[in-house]
């Protein structure tokens, strides 16, 4: 099993290592072996307006979509797990249904319905699309946490005079905070890096980072794409580091 694990880890890590190596190449194309070492391609990232605008847009959309998914998903899960909601399993399946549909289909359907037919602004349509992408992660993770949470904790709060609302905010949410943080991380990373929905819900006044990288790659096959990929890996790693410092990654698995 150890050998298999090492092989699987190598298969997963090798492409990332090659991306890092090619990002420092002095050649004007992505190729191996590299001929020299330079940081010019990293500097070139900040000379591309689409990359800067795309990062800002992707960051904003990911934060809003992840926040909305938590705001709507947590009360929905609480209601489904703590009250006798008719057809609760049906609602669970409904909330998780976006995971069963290819994201490119969701993007095309939203573009046709929201932008073309209803004529809602592209930015709002993009938020809706990414919200649908994020909601299943919240439902799945928070449901698992709520099912493991002892109901007697809430009952103790009621006995000591807390209202159901105060019990939810003061007892329930603190006890599932690790799942909330894990859900937010999953939502943010998947929304920030999403390509299919962002590709369809794009416009001249709105640039998302993944489509911006794809457009650049179609016209310029240079290591700038490798360099920005490395920065995105560092950005994701930094998020994990901050979570580790704040609550500890081990607590997310409890």
């Amino acid at each position: 099993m150890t050998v298999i694990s090492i092989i699987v880890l190598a298969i997963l890590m090798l492409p990332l290592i090659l991306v890092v190596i090619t990002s420092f190449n002095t050649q004007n194309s992505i190729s191996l072996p590299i001929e020299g070492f330079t940081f010019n391609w990293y500097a070139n990232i900040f000379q591309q307006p689409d990359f800067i605008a795309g990062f800002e847009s992707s960051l904003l959309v990911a934060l809003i979509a992840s926040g909305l998914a938590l705001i709507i998903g947590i009360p929905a899960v609480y209601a489904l797990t703590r009250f006798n909601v008719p057809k609760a399993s049906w609602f669970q399946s409904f909330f998780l249904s976006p995971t069963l549909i290819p994201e490119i289909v969701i993007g095309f359907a939203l573009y046709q319905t929201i932008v073309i037919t209803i004529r809602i602004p592209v930015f709002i349509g993009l938020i809706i699309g990414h919200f649908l992408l994020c909601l299943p992660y919240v439902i799945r993770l928070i449901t698992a946490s709520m099912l493991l949470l002892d109901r007697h904790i809430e009952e103790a709060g009621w006995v000591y005079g807390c209202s159901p609302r105060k019990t939810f905010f003061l007892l329930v949410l603190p006890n599932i905070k690790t799942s909330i943080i894990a859900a937010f991380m999953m939502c943010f990373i998947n929304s920030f890096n999403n390509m299919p929905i962002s590709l369809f819900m794009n416009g001249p006044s709105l640039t998302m980072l993944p489509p911006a990288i794809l457009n650049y790659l179609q016209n310029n096959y240079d290591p700038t794409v490798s360099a920005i990929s490395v920065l995105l890996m560092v950005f994701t790693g930094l998020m994990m580091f901050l979570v580790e410092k704040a609550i500890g990654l081990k607590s997310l698995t409890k």
Side-chain angles (χ1 to χ4, degrees), residues 104-125:
I104 193 168
V105 175
I106 296 176
F108 177 72
L110 289 173
Y111 179 77
Q112 286 290 328
T113 304
I114 294 177
V115 178
I116 302 300
T117 305
I118 306 179
R119 298 186 181 279
I120 292 177
V122 174
F123 182 77
I124 297 177

Side-chain angles (χ1 to χ4, degrees), residues 57-93:
S57 299
S58 294
L59 182 63
L60 179 61
V61 169
L63 289 173
I64 295 176
S66 301
L68 286 176
L70 289 175
I71 291 172
I72 295 175
I74 294 174
V77 170
Y78 185 77
L80 292 174
T81 56
R82 289 295 187 262
F83 302 103
N84 295 320
V85 178
K87 305 290 185 181
S89 60
W90 185 91
F91 281 104
Q92 283 277 358
S93 300

Side-chain angles (χ1 to χ4, degrees), residues 2-42:
T2 303
V3 175
I4 296 176
S5 300
I6 293 174
I7 293 174
V8 172
L9 181 62
I11 293 174
L12 293 175
M13 294 300 297
L14 183 60
L16 302 180
I17 294 173
L18 294 179
V19 168
V20 175
I21 294 174
T22 57
S23 69
F24 298 105
N25 195 3
T26 55
Q27 290 180 293
N28 292 327
S29 62
I30 303 174
S31 60
L32 287 170
I34 62 175
E35 294 186 351
F37 189 91
T38 181
F39 285 100
N40 290 342
W41 304 114
Y42 288 88

Side-chain angles (χ1 to χ4, degrees), residues 216-248:
Y216 183 89
L217 185 60
Q218 289 175 338
N219 300 310
N220 306 274
Y221 194 69
D222 60 47
T224 301
V225 176
S226 297
I228 195 171
S229 299
V230 173
L231 291 185
L232 290 177
M233 286 190 283
V234 172
F235 177 68
T236 304
L238 181 60
M239 286 185 57
M240 299 294 291
F241 175 78
L242 293 176
V243 171
E244 166 66 18
K245 287 298 182 182
I247 63 173

Side-chain angles (χ1 to χ4, degrees), residues 173-210:
L173 291 184
N175 277 282
I176 63 171
K177 67 178 182 179
T178 54
S179 294
I180 294 175
I181 294 173
F184 178 82
M185 287 180 57
M186 290 291 294
C187 292
F188 181 87
I189 292 172
N190 281 276
S191 174
F192 187 86
N193 296 313
N194 179 265
M195 172 64 78
I197 295 176
S198 299
L199 192 60
F200 275 101
M201 306 300 292
N202 216 355
S205 60
L206 180 64
T207 302
M208 300 293 287
L209 186 57

Side-chain angles (χ1 to χ4, degrees), residues 115-213:
V115 178
I116 302 300
T117 305
I118 306 179
R119 298 186 181 279
I120 292 177
V122 174
F123 182 77
I124 297 177
L126 193 62
I127 295 295
I128 295 173
H130 283 243
F131 164 77
L132 295 175
L133 175 71
C134 295
L135 186 60
Y137 293 101
V138 174
I139 297 297
R140 180 69 72 181
L141 289 171
I142 303 301
T143 296
S145 185
M146 286 299 303
L147 292 176
L148 293 174
L149 181 63
D150 190 352
R151 291 174 179 261
H152 292 93
I153 295 177
E154 298 170 69
E155 294 173 359
W158 299 336
V159 169
Y160 282 96
C162 285
S163 64
R165 179 181 299 178
K166 186 177 290 187
T167 300
F168 175 75
F169 285 103
L170 297 182
L171 293 179
V172 175
L173 291 184
N175 277 282
I176 63 171
K177 67 178 182 179
T178 54
S179 294
I180 294 175
I181 294 173
F184 178 82
M185 287 180 57
M186 290 291 294
C187 292
F188 181 87
I189 292 172
N190 281 276
S191 174
F192 187 86
N193 296 313
N194 179 265
M195 172 64 78
I197 295 176
S198 299
L199 192 60
F200 275 101
M201 306 300 292
N202 216 355
S205 60
L206 180 64
T207 302
M208 300 293 287
L209 186 57
I213 296 175

